[in-house]
Amino acid sequence: MTDHAPTALRTHLCGQLRPEHIGQTVTVCGWVGRRREHGEHLAFIDLRDHTGLLQCVVDGAHDLRSEYVLRITGTVRPRPEGTVNAALATGEVEVGDCTVEILSEAEPPPFPLDDRAADVDETVRLRYRYVDIRRDAMQRNLRTRAQVNGAIRRAMDAQGFVEVETPMLIASTPEGARDFVVPSRHRPGTFYALPQSPQLFKQLCMVGGIDRYYQIARCFRDEDLRADRQFEFTQLDAEMSFASQDDVLQAITTAVSAASEAVTGRRVVDVPRITWHEAMGRFGSDKPDVRFGMELIELTDVFAETGFNAFKAPSIKGIRLEGGSEATSRSRLDDLTDQAKRWGAKGLVWMRVEQGDDGATTLSSPIAKFLSEAELAGIVERTGAQVGDLLFLVADEWLATCHVLGLLRLELGRPPVDEGGLQFLWVVDFPLFESIDAATGRPVPAHHPFTMPHDEDLHLLDDSDAEALLQVRSQAYDLVLNGWELGSGSVRIHRPDVQQRIFGLLGISDEEAQAKFGFLLDAFRYGAPPHAGFAFGIDRLVALLVGEENIREVIAFPKTQSGTDPLTKAPTAIDDDQLDELGLRLLPPPAS
């Protein structure tokens, strides 16, 4: 344990004391974790601070209650024979001959601060977050987060990146989610926005010659919340001039490796790369969890001559659940079929792999009678099916087939977040456009409109065929960890001719481009270097490093999933005087 200098009130931290301190007079401070009576006068007090527990033997401790804040002075001595607690770092010693000073009395805590707190309603924990933070798990998570931030900063500094703070009050810019807006008192009727990311400002830093920028940035997005998403979040934001995709991936891998080593003691030696198309085809996801197998299996050619109408589709794929036949009831299969339809599937075919009377492998399924012997044999051969397995097949457009089976794969096989180690993965070569808008006929960008296409695909931007546009690959890349998207980045467009072509395809006129992005486009006129960047969520990285399913467990004061703060009661109304000062009027509440 790292030594800490003594303060005016204490000589040591509770978790520091060891046998080498025996005989020393010490003063420790902390909270009463537990009190155990020992005879008529003596009591054992477990004193707790952020470093751990220390047993103190106190005479006349009847007035000491749970969570009282104490200052205890006494002599370190060995625990009596047979009372050593091997589960505690301080379990070989105790403090005796104690003088106790009550620094602060406390009401009984609203919930236990041991393992039972996991069963407490989250809203209650957040209402009393200042008490919840005293728990070992929260202490560990928040201190680990600080370690991660420190490791990232050291790694970025060592690579020549310069930390630059960008503004928190900016103009509203389209970035894919709703802005949080802030009314201006000095200019009534106008608004600032809180940044969804420092994207445009970090590009301006490249125009300004910073060369390598980074920031541990606070960002804000007004979007629906879930386990890996909050209104306000923290990300490592980085940008590099005169750099390629490979340069960015190497720099970010170095930072992530430093963070991993700070927490686990192990560096990330090499992060595999996979293209977006391969990720979708093998795992049905652009953020694949590669801790387990159950990859999607290509079956389209098996049914090239099929007479079964449901399988007359552009793409047919399947997954194999090893040993799943006996463990999966018919009602569960019906539930999975309904779920697949909610995910967008036209249907879900299941097949139990059984052994026939002749010893051959057979497939039992409601649709088996519609398939030829060659098709049934082809399924068994292609999937590697063994007796006792369970197969699932989906037939649809390629992307829809991949998507549904990818979700089903996670439903059936994904391990808990704290199992399977840390499996980082770079996903590269995302499509530049994700779809064609049926109403306008224009492509829908998969990323922001400043993402550079691959040079060899630039000619496709001039193709009048919408399908050709969907084949354009961007120089965009994501970092994935255990099925969570940690972050995204791309090589930026610095060439005016390419930017103009992209804006034209998206239907953004010169006037609209100037209105939305004018300050960036104007800056590019004064010499923009080729540049590329990335950002990843520190909340998500820390959650996975400590084995938490929810990023709220690694944020000191998060919002609930409904977006409220039980501690401060935010969001709250403001009074009429404030509204008048800002020049605002509220609409009447909607009729119930």
Side-chain angles (χ1 to χ4, degrees), residues 186-243:
H186 294 287
R187 296 180 179 273
T190 63
F191 297 83
Y192 300 102
L194 300 179
Q196 295 186 35
S197 79
Q199 177 66 42
L200 301 185
F201 288 97
K202 68 179 181 180
Q203 292 188 251
L204 291 177
C205 285
M206 299 302 98
V207 177
I210 294 295
D211 192 73
R212 291 190 174 199
Y213 143 97
Y214 87 97
Q215 181 181 187
I216 294 182
R218 299 287 288 167
C219 304
F220 306 84
R221 292 182 184 175
D222 187 2
E223 55 189 355
D224 294 338
L225 304 186
R226 57 192 186 201
D228 63 350
R229 183 179 291 173
Q230 282 274 295
F231 286 152
E232 50 186 312
F233 56 96
T234 305
Q235 67 184 32
L236 170 69
D237 201 63
E239 198 80 10
M240 304 172 67
S241 290
F242 308 106

Side-chain angles (χ1 to χ4, degrees), residues 14 28-38 41-48 52-72 79 88 90 93-96 98-102:
C14 292
V28 290
C29 297
W31 287 262
V32 175
R34 190 165 60 144
R35 186 191 74 182
R36 304 182 304 283
E37 300 293 342
H38 185 68
H41 299 290
L42 289 179
F44 293 111
I45 298 294
D46 288 340
L47 196 67
R48 183 193 71 242
L53 290 174
L54 175 65
Q55 179 172 285
C56 302
V57 184
V58 177
D59 189 7
H62 301 295
D63 294 333
L64 304 181
R65 300 286 183 254
S66 178
E67 299 307 307
Y68 273 32
V69 184
L70 306 181
R71 182 185 186 213
I72 296 179
R79 290 200 185 192
L88 285 181
T90 60
V93 299
E94 64 185 18
V95 175
C98 294
T99 300
V100 178
E101 178 184 356
I102 298 176

Side-chain angles (χ1 to χ4, degrees), residues 157-474:
D157 290 342
Q159 296 181 87
F161 285 81
V162 178
E163 186 170 11
V164 179
E165 296 173 345
T166 54
M168 301 295 283
L169 296 174
I170 65 173
S172 181
T173 57
E175 291 208 34
R178 296 183 186 89
D179 285 330
F180 280 100
V181 295
V182 180
S184 168
R185 176 176 62 85
H186 294 287
R187 296 180 179 273
T190 63
F191 297 83
Y192 300 102
L194 300 179
Q196 295 186 35
S197 79
Q199 177 66 42
L200 301 185
F201 288 97
K202 68 179 181 180
Q203 292 188 251
L204 291 177
C205 285
M206 299 302 98
V207 177
I210 294 295
D211 192 73
R212 291 190 174 199
Y213 143 97
Y214 87 97
Q215 181 181 187
I216 294 182
R218 299 287 288 167
C219 304
F220 306 84
R221 292 182 184 175
D222 187 2
E223 55 189 355
D224 294 338
L225 304 186
R226 57 192 186 201
D228 63 350
R229 183 179 291 173
Q230 282 274 295
F231 286 152
E232 50 186 312
F233 56 96
T234 305
Q235 67 184 32
L236 170 69
D237 201 63
E239 198 80 10
M240 304 172 67
S241 290
F242 308 106
S244 68
Q245 171 179 293
D246 288 346
D247 295 320
V248 175
L249 268 56
Q250 181 57 52
I252 297 300
T253 297
T254 299
V256 169
S257 178
S260 176
E261 184 178 29
V263 178
T264 68
R266 297 185 300 276
R267 293 191 65 82
V268 179
V269 178
D270 183 43
V271 178
R273 298 186 192 184
I274 186 174
T275 67
W276 172 87
H277 193 276
E278 184 181 356
M280 293 301 300
R282 290 175 56 191
F283 302 100
S285 174
D286 59 6
K287 49 182 179 181
D289 190 339
V290 296
R291 291 177 297 164
F292 67 107
M294 207 184 297
E295 294 188 19
L296 279 57
I297 303 163
E298 179 59 54
L299 296 170
T300 307
D301 59 312
V302 173
F303 300 98
E305 305 297 331
T306 190
F308 184 43
N309 287 334
F311 279 2
K312 294 178 179 178
S315 176
I316 305 169
K317 289 179 178 288
I319 57 175
R320 169 191 171 203
L321 180 60
E322 294 184 26
S325 183
E326 292 187 6
T328 309
S329 66
R330 179 57 190 264
S331 61
R332 171 64 170 157
L333 291 172
D334 290 341
D335 290 342
L336 291 173
T337 301
D338 291 340
Q339 181 64 67
K341 291 178 179 178
R342 288 192 290 272
W343 289 330
K346 297 174 181 177
L348 178 68
V349 170
W350 54 264
M351 297 179 168
R352 298 186 190 274
V353 185
E354 299 175 346
Q355 188 173 50
D357 294 337
D358 59 357
T361 301
T362 63
L363 298 177
S364 174
S365 170
I367 65 106
K369 60 186 176 183
F370 301 111
L371 303 179
S372 68
E373 291 297 325
E375 289 169 339
L376 293 171
I379 296 172
V380 172
E381 179 183 2
R382 186 66 58 83
T383 62
Q386 301 293 319
V387 173
D389 291 346
L390 186 62
L391 307 178
F392 295 93
L393 280 65
V394 171
D396 207 324
E397 298 293 330
W398 180 82
L399 193 57
T401 299
C402 295
H403 171 70
V404 172
L405 283 177
L407 293 174
L408 185 62
R409 172 179 179 267
L410 295 177
E411 176 75 19
L412 296 173
R414 188 172 194 172
V417 69
D418 57 350
E419 293 182 7
L422 299 174
Q423 299 294 326
F424 289 92
L425 186 69
W426 282 111
V427 181
V428 301
D429 294 351
F430 279 76
L432 187 66
F433 305 111
E434 65 180 22
S435 62
I436 303 297
D437 187 294
T440 65
R442 295 191 178 277
V444 178
H447 307 275
H448 57 67
F450 304 107
T451 302
M452 187 71 180
H454 271 275
D455 290 343
E456 55 267 37
D457 292 349
L458 284 174
H459 69 282
L460 296 173
L461 297 177
D462 298 323
D463 199 309
S464 59
D465 181 8
E467 290 303 314
L469 292 177
L470 296 182
Q471 303 305 313
V472 178
R473 296 166 301 149
S474 68

